[in-house]
Amino acid sequence: SLSALTWAVSAGERPFRCPFEGCGRSFTTSNIRKVHVRTHTGERPYTCPEPHCGRGFTSATNYKNHVRIQQVGQLACEDRPL
């Protein structure tokens, strides 16, 4: 059986609201909301370990993609626009 949250999401509900006044956005999961809140706070908890890069990311997914691209050798950090 499906949970109440699964039913709500499948019905198009977005129960996780952004806590910042005036934003008005809402999300299907608390994790998506957490990543969104970082657009308000400026927090970028995932930082590239490569010397001279210093890029930070709001989500683990974006960070992992950045690292994967480097490992494949497609584009060095210093060649990427910020």
Side-chain angles (χ1 to χ4, degrees):
S1 87
L2 296 174
S3 71
L5 179 58
T6 303
W7 277 109
V9 169
S10 65
E13 292 182 27
R14 296 170 168 262
F16 298 95
R17 290 182 175 78
C18 177
F20 280 80
E21 189 174 332
C23 179
R25 297 210 42 201
S26 58
F27 305 90
T28 55
T29 70
S30 62
N31 192 54
I32 296 171
R33 176 183 59 191
K34 179 174 65 175
V35 171
H36 165 76
V37 165
R38 292 176 182 150
T39 67
H40 295 292
T41 64
E43 179 187 14
R44 292 178 171 268
Y46 306 97
T47 305
C48 179
E50 288 294 317
H52 310 296
C53 178
R55 290 188 67 184
F57 301 90
T58 58
S59 73
T61 299
N62 290 344
Y63 166 74
K64 288 174 187 175
N65 286 337
H66 174 79
V67 170
R68 181 182 50 79
I69 289 169
Q70 290 179 67
Q71 290 172 344
V72 172
Q74 292 178 353
L75 193 56
C77 286
E78 57 269 8
D79 296 333
R80 291 188 62 107
L82 292 177

